[in-house]
Amino acid sequence: MSRLSLLKDAYEREGYVIVRELLDNTTLKLLAAKVLQQLSSNRVTNGFTCGGQPRFKEPLQPDADLLKFADAMRCELTEELFQNPRVMEVMGGLLDTEDVFVHPVKWIRGLAPVDSSLHCSPGVHQDFPELQGSGRQITLWAPFFHVDEGSGSLPVYNKKPGETLLPLELALNPSGWQVCPEVLGHKNVFELNPGDVLLFNTFTPHGGATNTGEGWRCSIEARFQPLADPLAISNFAKPLLTQDWQTFYEGWDTWGFYWKDRHPPLVEFDPSWERWRDLTAIGEAVKGNKNAVMALEIAAQFGMSEPIRSCAQRLLESFERVYDQ
């Protein structure tokens, strides 16, 4: 049995798989240098830990904008990294298609140590509700520097065969929600070197990483799917960090608008999921559930209608008054 066949069997059985030394090391190093340069310019690192990660330095003032890696994310190398023939070959094998589509939006994230002012780790979640579209999407998650469980390597969880969406509960994390712990299977955390990747399905529970080390866990991710499968139009709406794709692709030579004339059939985003979360958070807040605070903050800013936003804001203010007393 070929190596790709073994990977496919493992991926279909578990919902995730590790592929060693998949990413082009030269491209990855160039992007890692941009990430390191931003951490240095923001004065939130001062050298490296013994584990090879940029050492964390507490900022003078906590600022969420320090976690936006604009120079690296807008660099054409982010696209070149994932359009590499080796990457596309593996994705094609796992998806059983020769026509693989790479989502335009890529993410670069930094996870600070758990005891720092910048620590921000989402709870265990599934990607499908936010992405929608194809149920066969694959997320590729890769570290820029060595990671293990202590330094924040991304956990993935087993679930029962055939399960799709899992039940949620309110939680005090950045997303305001997490998959109910009692329905999660075994937790799996892997030691990864630069070039190694973790691949998982859009329904695979993941997240809740805890960085107990002294450095930054820096990672990059992208998503892939069959070209023939549907794609939610929200994935094309706008890029991260800029107002439009024209601005985002400024200065690119090869991969700008690579998807313009060749992309999956587009479908509308179904807002019912977000509406359910907002209304549930409001209902639980009325009952006095303090775990609704983070979800209320999201509903107050991004709620699907003005009444939802204003109601969430009033409830937030009432919680704050209780805390101040």
Side-chain angles (χ1 to χ4, degrees):
M1 184 177 286
S2 70
R3 176 172 176 266
L4 192 51
S5 296
L6 290 172
L7 288 175
K8 183 179 180 182
D9 285 349
Y11 173 77
E12 291 181 345
R13 181 177 64 251
E14 306 292 349
Y16 58 85
V17 71
I18 296 293
V19 184
R20 302 290 181 182
E21 300 180 348
L22 178 64
L23 299 181
D24 178 73
N25 200 39
T26 300
T27 306
L28 194 66
K29 283 183 176 180
L30 291 172
L31 280 171
K34 287 183 174 292
V35 169
L36 183 60
Q37 182 179 23
Q38 178 159 338
L39 292 174
S40 299
S41 64
N42 288 335
R43 299 180 181 179
V44 290
T45 190
N46 55 358
F48 286 87
T49 68
C50 59
Q53 295 182 322
R55 184 179 300 279
F56 177 82
K57 179 182 177 183
E58 189 68 46
L60 296 177
Q61 182 175 350
D63 185 353
D65 284 342
L66 297 177
L67 300 177
K68 296 178 180 179
F69 296 90
D71 288 346
M73 285 181 60
R74 290 189 60 189
C75 177
E76 189 168 14
L77 293 172
T78 58
E79 196 62 51
E80 182 179 323
L81 187 68
F82 300 116
Q83 297 284 353
N84 185 285
R86 288 186 61 211
V87 176
M88 298 299 279
E89 179 186 10
V90 168
M91 293 301 171
L94 297 184
L95 293 169
D96 199 23
T97 180
E98 294 182 358
D99 291 323
V100 175
F101 181 75
V102 189
H103 285 211
V105 175
K106 318 295 189 296
W107 290 87
I108 292 179
R109 306 180 193 269
L111 181 65
V114 67
D115 59 354
S116 74
S117 64
L118 293 180
H119 181 75
C120 183
S121 179
V124 180
H125 61 282
Q126 297 170 289
D127 283 344
F128 183 82
E130 303 291 345
L131 299 177
Q132 301 188 18
S134 173
R136 296 195 289 167
Q137 294 171 66
I138 297 176
T139 293
L140 183 158
W141 185 91
F144 285 109
F145 311 98
H146 174 270
V147 292
D148 54 21
E149 184 170 10
S151 54
S153 187
L154 185 69
V156 288
Y157 293 79
N158 295 102
K159 62 181 181 62
K160 296 177 182 178
E163 281 186 326
T164 52
L165 292 179
L166 299 176
L168 296 177
E169 65 179 17
L170 290 161
L172 296 176
N173 61 46
S175 69
W177 295 88
Q178 66 182 14
V179 174
C180 296
E182 57 267 24
V183 304
L184 291 173
H186 181 71
K187 177 182 178 180
N188 307 275
V189 188
F190 302 95
E191 184 174 356
L192 302 174
N193 291 312
D196 298 340
V197 304
L198 168 63
L199 307 177
F200 54 90
N201 181 265
T202 191
F203 293 110
T204 300
H206 62 282
T210 302
N211 182 0
T212 58
E214 299 178 341
W216 284 93
R217 185 216 71 185
C218 299
S219 61
I220 187 169
E221 64 192 67
R223 294 177 175 88
F224 304 76
Q225 70 171 71
L227 185 67
D229 284 14
L231 177 68
I233 197 169
S234 54
N235 290 285
F236 275 146
K238 67 185 297 291
L240 301 173
L241 306 179
T242 62
Q243 295 181 349
D244 54 58
W245 288 109
Q246 188 68 45
T247 304
F248 187 87
Y249 288 140
E250 185 176 344
W252 286 33
D253 297 321
T254 303
W255 293 108
F257 291 101
Y258 68 92
W259 42 264
K260 188 173 183 179
D261 299 318
R262 185 179 182 273
H263 59 74
L266 301 180
V267 295
E268 292 296 327
F269 183 86
D270 180 0
S272 58
W273 175 263
E274 294 183 351
R275 187 177 295 112
W276 171 84
R277 291 196 306 183
D278 292 344
L279 294 176
T280 301
I282 288 172
E284 287 298 305
V286 169
K287 299 175 186 177
N289 187 344
K290 295 180 181 179
N291 285 337
V293 169
M294 297 302 293
L296 280 180
E297 289 185 357
I298 295 172
Q301 185 173 359
F302 303 107
M304 300 301 295
S305 67
E306 195 283 327
I308 286 178
R309 293 191 294 272
S310 60
C311 182
Q313 183 61 43
R314 287 197 303 273
L315 287 167
L316 270 177
E317 292 169 357
S318 68
F319 269 112
E320 291 171 357
R321 286 194 294 270
V322 170
Y323 292 149
D324 290 339
Q325 293 176 356

